[in-house]
Amino acid sequence: MDLKSFQDQVFVAGAEAGFTEMEVYHERQSSFTCSVYQGQVDGYESADVTGVSFRGVYQGKMGYAFTERIAPDSVGYLIASARDNASIIGDEDEDDIFPGGGQYQEADFYARDLDSVSIEAQIELIKEIEAHARSLDSRVRDINYCAISSLSMERGICNNAGLDQSDARNNITVYLSVVVAEGGETRTGSAIRVTQDFATLKPTEIAAEAVGDALSYLGARQVANKAYPVILKNDAAAALLQTFAPVFSAENVQKGMSQLKGKVGTAVGVPGLNIVDDPFLPGGMNSRTFDAEGYPAARRDIVKDGELQTLLYNRKAARKDGVKSTGHAFKSSYKDAVGIAPSNLYIQPAGLAGAAAGQAAGAGAAGAGAGQGGEVEARQAAVAGQGGEVEARQAAVAGQGGVTGVVGQAGLSSLENRPEPPYAPLLAGIDEGIVITGLSGLHSGANSVSGDFSLAATGFYVENGAVQSPVNQMTVAGNFFEVLSSIVVIGDDLDFTVPFLGAPGYVGSPSLLIKGLSITVD
Amino acid sequence: MISQSLINAVLDTALSTGGDFAEVFVEDRTVNRMGMRGGIIENSLSGRDFGVGIRVFKGLGSAYAYTTDATPEGLHQAARRAASGVRGLPEMPTNATVWGDTTGCRHSLCEERAPSKHLIERNPQFVQRGEKAQVMREAYDIAKNYHSSITQVSVGYMDEEQKVLIANSDGKWIQDVRIRSRLSISSIASDGNKFESGFYGPGAHKGFEFIAGLDLEHYAGEASRIAVTRLSAVPCPSGKFPVVIDNEFGGVIFHEACGHGLEATSVAKGNSVFANRIGEKVASDVVTYIDDGTLENEWGSLAVDDEGEPTRRNVLIQNGVLKGYLIDRFNSRRMNMPPTGSGRRQSYRFAPTSRMTNTYIANGSSTPKEIIENTEQGIYAKYLGGGQVNTATGDYNFAVMEAYLIENGKITTPLKGATLIGNGPKTLQLVDMVGNNLGHGQGMCGSLSGSIPVNVGQPTLRVSEMTVGGTREGA
């Protein structure tokens, strides 16, 4: 049966059962994923799925239920389950269905051109990437994973008060993971691209980035266990921000699960630190015109020049604090209850002002000139408009073409013209330090209540302002809130993580130089 | 659910481009979740997943399509999408062995029900929410009243009933019902400045009888005790130490350090550090590592796997010697080895692949007391958090939730912020004492075919040297 008539039946049945306010939310997703191995397709997946959730107020309480079976026999299940669920709620905080009436910004996150990219073209692309990666260096032992995934998703929300909103987005992701080996040492490296423009996917660049990344870790050694100045490479810094993003949730603050209670209007980071949540960020994987309650989405400064501007609110948390929703109601899918999460959240890169931004856009991230001047530029950036940000984003994307990570010493003749790593400008002036290029164990080694983290890390040893060698697997320990207050330089190489293990939000950061973090080396 | 004749026709469509094997997986899953904070139910959610996954093999290629549209038209369309994924692929080499089902033949699907080894007494779908909430409240009260420094307690409840039908072109037609229940308790303790947390989450392949029969004093008490202990913990020293890891969830270390590396997903292409090493000594003599999906009513147990294969007890490492891998049907082709009842998936949205079920280190001969007493200086890791591994390099890491110093054979100061890192194959060689108190802990394991329930287990054991990442230098 079609969604519209299902929706109508649900509202009728819900009203009969005693629901006053009612909402039906749906998601429809189609995707194609393919992987190749030794020149042959070895994984191929095609999906077309729809799910619907019902949310309604029954005797003053919110009830939820969802189904993936859009059929008449599901109507009774949805309504009865939602009613039983509402009846057990003990929470006295008022909750409601947004009746609508806000100002919605126009935006289109759906790139129609992507629909015309054939499956054959996608498979051809990853075959090329795999072949390139295998041919680049004799130390490439194998390809772990070489895959492409195209996704389009449409969501809609509609309620019995007349709200009716929908939006759609799509993208293509390419992921390559390679294994290199030399003298008994095995390392892996990867490259990932998320785009709405298929033409920007260059097989040679993607292969070179992953192979260069893997090779850069060969010859790893031990260094002393102690606190070092640390450069968190852009995507590692972003992963850390993503892990601790829940501290900005007003709900977590209200429930004593975040230390930002009473901190709005006070300094939470160094001057020059700007954190922005922008649901309209071009290319953002979590772009949206409305949040999970149907409330209009809008760009917000979260931290400006080091000062906390606002927490992230949905309607329920906002009512409790006597403020307006910031449009951050979130559910990971129709199966989820409404919570709070950022959309596209990022630390603003330095060097956005005028000429600097233009230069960066022209030269790619390799040409980024942050250095010690970064702090000053970051402050100027606070007054730069939206245009600057878009340019910086483009610069970051363009810069990704090169090999990130530092390339090892010998025998790399097949990988020519490698640009400097994106964090190169931050190296200047570091007598002894560590570059962290990747973090793992984020799901278990971080405590978002205390801010403490102790995580596994990969990276390099720095001496006299230059990268000297890769380091064996490390742990890096510190505190998120202290990290925000001990940033020495903000780079201008903004890059984003991809959502991992269901962590919400699309989160970005430039590389950051941190005053000191504890490092332990295996 | 869906008639045999329709499934047969869909299998035909799936094979229409030259595939040599096709499979249909139908899933109808009902879930209930409730969350309590501050002693009141804050959220309660119910839902029904319903979808179909269709898989086709041709030689060493496979294709998968899934849909929520279970109409004949929707199913055939999905089957055509899967079929187009293997079009033009080379056939299986004639000298290769293909393991299949010998029980049936095409067009005479043999109806089977999975053997009901995991008996369920009270299907949670028929238990009132009020009764479930009552248990949550009891757990809350125990955890909250444990100590005056406990500021916040969250209790989570989950039950699910997953009905599956697996039919394939070898004539298999098997239905199974999996019922699981879990309670989780998270406590937060604060002294006004610091906030620390503790967690315990017992679960089983059982009905509400499991939740109702839980020793809440123990589980809720432990969650709070961990949080309170951590308040007085001092920063963990960093460096290399002997580490004694307690039983139950402590087994997550071997789940990461070697379990994932023994899954066909990483072994089949030779990219695991354990590939092509059957019969070799990969661990110290005291290590015997087993994956057993048949353990009665355990969290990671299944009557049949998600390919319809009965689960079994797979000895992976015996007295340090590598004996076998965990193999799914597709990878069995690449590896030329039979499947081991290890094909699992989160839902119809994932093609199955080789995964763990209940994996554990078998009992040794030492007592936990002896192990501690024989350790002059070291770290005692009582409860571990989650971990992660790179199967190509064997490098793993995991967080320690509750840790102590061992000094002169005695457990002394509590430590916080400890992360253990190492390399799987190296760590396996360094296990030098294994206790006799095997216990199992419950977790969710995320990998290629999604997030699935698994047990990790071990007795108390000692690794003679591990790298401990902490914040205190040079201790």
Side-chain angles (χ1 to χ4, degrees), chain A residues 32 43 135 159-160 226 241 247 255 287 373 421:
Chain A
F32 168 71
S135 71
N159 67 32
N160 67 337
K226 61 177 182 180
L241 177 62
V247 305
K255 296 191 164 139
S287 293

Side-chain angles (χ1 to χ4, degrees), chain A residues 259-285:
Chain A
Q259 297 197 357
L260 293 182
K261 195 181 185 92
K263 294 281 171 67
V264 172
T266 70
V268 296
V270 293
L273 175 69
N274 297 298
I275 304 179
V276 175
D277 186 75
D278 185 358
F280 298 94
L281 181 78
M285 274 181 79

Side-chain angles (χ1 to χ4, degrees), chain A residues 3-18:
Chain A
L3 204 59
K4 180 76 179 72
S5 41
F6 183 75
Q7 230 159 301
D8 293 344
Q9 284 192 24
V10 167
F11 285 150
V12 169
E16 279 170 11

Side-chain angles (χ1 to χ4, degrees), chain B residues 143-332:
Chain B
K144 184 75 177 67
N145 296 328
Y146 177 83
H147 194 268
S148 57
S149 64
I150 298 292
T151 55
Q152 186 68 266
V153 174
S154 306
V155 181
Y157 168 90
M158 186 281 299
D159 67 55
E160 66 176 26
E161 179 182 32
Q162 183 199 28
K163 296 178 190 161
V164 300
L165 160 65
I166 301 149
N168 69 32
S169 57
D170 286 350
K172 185 183 283 291
W173 174 284
I174 193 161
Q175 285 177 275
D176 191 17
V177 180
R178 293 94 175 245
I179 289 179
R180 289 196 173 84
S181 304
R182 192 174 192 193
L183 192 75
S184 62
I185 304 112
S186 309
S187 300
I188 293 179
S190 177
D191 58 5
N193 293 314
K194 287 178 294 187
F195 293 87
E196 294 294 344
S197 58
F199 174 84
Y200 220 128
H205 186 322
K206 280 188 179 176
F208 191 70
E209 72 276 10
F210 173 74
I211 300 291
L214 278 175
D215 180 355
L216 297 176
E217 292 287 346
H218 171 69
Y219 292 112
E222 279 294 271
S224 288
R225 191 192 56 71
I226 294 166
V228 172
T229 303
R230 288 171 66 167
L231 268 189
S232 60
V234 303
C236 184
S238 54
K240 287 186 167 33
F241 301 93
V243 178
V244 176
I245 303 166
D246 211 348
N247 67 351
E248 288 192 15
F249 198 74
V252 71
I253 175 180
F254 294 100
H255 174 99
E256 305 298 348
C258 85
H260 279 298
L262 296 173
E263 291 169 341
T265 42
S266 48
V267 176
K269 293 176 184 170
N271 280 336
S272 163
V273 284
F274 297 104
N276 306 312
R277 295 186 64 190
I278 297 266
E280 282 182 36
K281 192 84 182 336
V282 298
S284 70
D285 293 344
V286 288
V287 175
T288 293
Y289 196 48
I290 296 164
D291 183 84
D292 189 348
T294 70
L295 294 179
E296 231 167 82
N297 293 104
E298 286 292 342
W299 179 240
S301 295
L302 294 158
V304 294
D305 73 3
D306 292 323
E307 301 182 317
E309 193 75 26
T311 54
R312 40 170 157 143
R313 180 176 187 271
N314 290 301
V315 177
L316 304 171
I317 296 172
Q318 192 162 31
N319 301 326
V321 177
L322 183 62
K323 291 290 179 185
Y325 302 115
L326 297 171
I327 306 169
D328 57 289
R329 191 173 184 124
F330 178 65
N331 281 306
S332 80

Side-chain angles (χ1 to χ4, degrees), chain A residues 7 11 21 23 53 70 104 155 167 189 320 346 350 373 417 425:
Chain A
Q7 230 159 301
F11 285 150
E21 302 167 31
E23 168 197 289
S53 67
I70 319 290
Y104 295 91
R155 54 182 198 134
D167 64 11
K320 202 165 182 177
Y346 62 97
N417 302 324

Side-chain angles (χ1 to χ4, degrees), chain A residues 40-236:
Chain A
Q40 268 194 33
V41 170
D42 84 327
Y44 183 104
E45 192 179 286
S46 163
D48 181 11
V49 288
T50 305
V52 167
S53 67
F54 171 80
R55 214 163 62 102
V57 177
Y58 177 79
Q59 296 180 356
K61 307 283 187 195
M62 190 66 77
Y64 280 86
F66 70 85
T67 184
E68 292 177 341
R69 198 174 143 80
I70 319 290
D73 62 17
S74 285
V75 174
Y77 170 78
L78 275 187
I79 298 300
S81 302
R83 189 192 53 213
D84 291 350
N85 284 328
S87 303
I88 197 82
I89 300 288
D91 191 356
E92 295 300 326
D93 293 337
E94 200 187 322
D95 204 354
D96 72 350
I97 301 282
F98 177 54
Q103 284 285 7
Y104 295 91
Q105 228 168 295
E106 292 275 325
D108 186 2
F109 310 123
Y110 198 90
R112 263 144 213 91
D113 287 353
L114 270 193
D115 290 345
S116 59
V117 178
S118 70
I119 282 177
E120 290 73 24
Q122 295 181 51
I123 294 175
E124 204 42 50
L125 180 89
I126 52 174
K127 281 184 175 171
E128 262 185 67
I129 292 172
E130 194 207 7
H132 268 295
R134 286 186 187 277
S135 71
L136 270 177
D137 194 287
S138 59
R139 290 166 294 178
V140 174
R141 198 185 74 192
D142 209 351
I143 302 301
N144 236 344
Y145 205 58
C146 180
I148 191 160
S149 181
S150 50
L151 168 85
S152 63
M153 191 178 121
E154 156 208 312
R155 54 182 198 134
I157 190 167
C158 126
N159 67 32
N160 67 337
L163 177 81
D164 191 355
Q165 287 286 326
S166 64
D167 64 11
R169 61 190 156 92
N170 61 356
N171 60 50
I172 285 191
T173 305
V174 170
Y175 178 65
L176 171 66
S177 167
V178 303
V179 185
V180 299
E182 185 175 46
E185 191 182 6
T186 302
R187 301 286 165 192
T188 58
S190 63
I192 190 158
R193 295 282 188 284
V194 184
T195 183
Q196 288 193 308
D197 183 359
F198 188 70
T200 62
L201 297 169
K202 300 277 187 280
T204 48
E205 288 177 2
I206 294 167
E209 181 180 325
V211 172
D213 184 35
L215 291 176
S216 71
Y217 300 119
L218 285 173
R221 64 182 183 101
Q222 228 176 343
V223 296
N225 296 337
K226 61 177 182 180
Y228 290 90
V230 167
I231 293 176
L232 288 172
K233 182 174 166 276
N234 49 18
D235 46 0

